[in-house]
Amino acid sequence: MKYRCGIFDLDGVLVDTAKYHYLGWKKLADRLGFSFTVQQNEALKGISRMAALDLLLEIGGLGDAFSQQEKEQMAAEKNGYYLEYINQLGEEELLLGVTETFERMRKARIRIALGSASKNARLILKRLHIEEYFDVVIDGNLVKKAKPDPEVFTMSADRLGICYSQCVVFEDSLAGLQAAKAVGMTAVGIGERENLRIADYICRNVGEFVWEQ
Ligand code: BG6
Ligand code: MG
C-alpha cells in the first residue's frame, strides 16, 4: 500500500454530527429572525466555530451588527444547542465502514490520525468508543489556523513523522479538501461530487475507499 497514514476529519466523515452542527446554527438563525438552509450550511462545514458564526451572520445580513462579546455569546449559545445533541450520541451514529476501516488499517500498520476543527472532538470520540484507534488526535483546541489552512493535517503527519505525500485525508468539506491538497496529501471527498469537486476521489463513506489504487 502506498499510504502510511490516514487522516480523518470527524464531523460528517466518521459520525453523522454534521446535521447537528446545522441544527444548532439553524436554531440560532431562527432566534435572530432569518432562514438558513441545508445548502447554505455547506459553506460552514469544516471551518472553525467563530468563522462559521461570521458566515452565518453574513447570510442573515447581520455581518456587522454585533460586538465581539456578543458574537462569543452567540457561538456559546450554538455550542449549547449542539452539545444537547452530542450528549445523546451513540455508537449507532458512527458512519458506515468506520470500524472495519480502522481494523484493516491497524493490520496493515497504516497509522490513524484525527484532523478535526472541532473543539468537541475528544468528547465525541469518547462517546463513540473509538478513541483508542487513534495514533494522534489533532483538534480545534490544538491548531492556531483553521481549515482551509492545512495546519491540522500537517501537525498530524509531523507528529507521526510521515511525509505528506504518504497521507490520505478523508473530508466532507471543501475547506478540508483544499487544506489537504495544499500540502500534497491525497484528498478523498466523502459525499456528493457537486460539493466536493476538487477531491482526488469521491466515496460515499470511508469504507468505500480502495487503499491499493
Ligand atoms: C468541524 C465542522 O468539524 O468543526 C464545523 O465541520 C464546525 O461545522 C467545526 O464549525 C468546529 O466545531 P466545534 O465543535 O468546535 O464547534
Ligand atoms: Mg467534516
Side-chain angles (χ1 to χ4, degrees), residues 9-13 18 45-46 147 170-173:
D9 173 48
L10 176 66
D11 298 313
V13 168
K45 285 186 179 174
K147 301 170 190 174
F170 295 85
E171 256 297 342
D172 69 324
S173 74

Side-chain angles (χ1 to χ4, degrees), residues 64-89:
D64 298 317
F66 301 101
S67 68
Q68 188 57 27
Q69 198 189 349
E70 286 169 321
K71 288 206 282 189
E72 269 156 30
Q73 278 165 3
M74 283 187 263
E77 178 184 337
K78 179 268 176 177
N79 198 49
Y81 299 141
Y82 181 64
L83 287 178
E84 282 174 26
Y85 296 114
I86 296 310
N87 288 327
Q88 309 289 321
L89 197 68

Side-chain angles (χ1 to χ4, degrees), residues 85-201:
Y85 296 114
I86 296 310
N87 288 327
Q88 309 289 321
L89 197 68
E91 280 168 58
E92 67 286 353
E93 282 178 89
L94 265 178
L95 290 170
L96 213 62
V98 170
T99 320
E100 295 81 353
T101 298
F102 287 168
E103 291 291 343
R104 281 187 60 209
M105 290 174 73
R106 254 188 184 173
K107 284 203 186 93
R109 296 181 188 281
I110 300 171
R111 311 302 287 276
I112 303 176
L114 190 86
S116 168
S118 175
K119 294 187 170 170
N120 296 302
R122 287 265 180 198
L123 169 68
I124 294 171
L125 295 184
K126 280 204 177 77
R127 286 210 62 91
L128 299 171
H129 303 113
I130 55 170
E131 205 182 8
E132 48 131 12
Y133 281 111
F134 291 92
D135 296 297
V136 63
V137 172
I138 306 296
D139 66 14
N141 299 297
L142 293 173
V143 293
K144 290 197 182 63
K145 290 172 271 176
K147 301 170 190 174
D149 187 283
E151 185 183 11
V152 69
F153 299 141
T154 55
M155 201 185 270
S156 298
D158 292 346
R159 290 224 180 153
L160 294 168
I162 294 175
C163 68
Y164 303 158
S165 62
Q166 290 177 306
C167 296
V168 52
V169 169
F170 295 85
E171 256 297 342
D172 69 324
S173 74
L174 187 58
L177 294 173
Q178 285 166 337
K181 295 208 60 132
V183 289
M185 295 180 178
T186 298
V188 180
I190 302 295
E192 304 296 325
R193 170 66 73 181
E194 183 194 346
N195 300 321
L196 307 170
R197 285 183 207 286
I198 65 166
D200 296 309
Y201 303 98

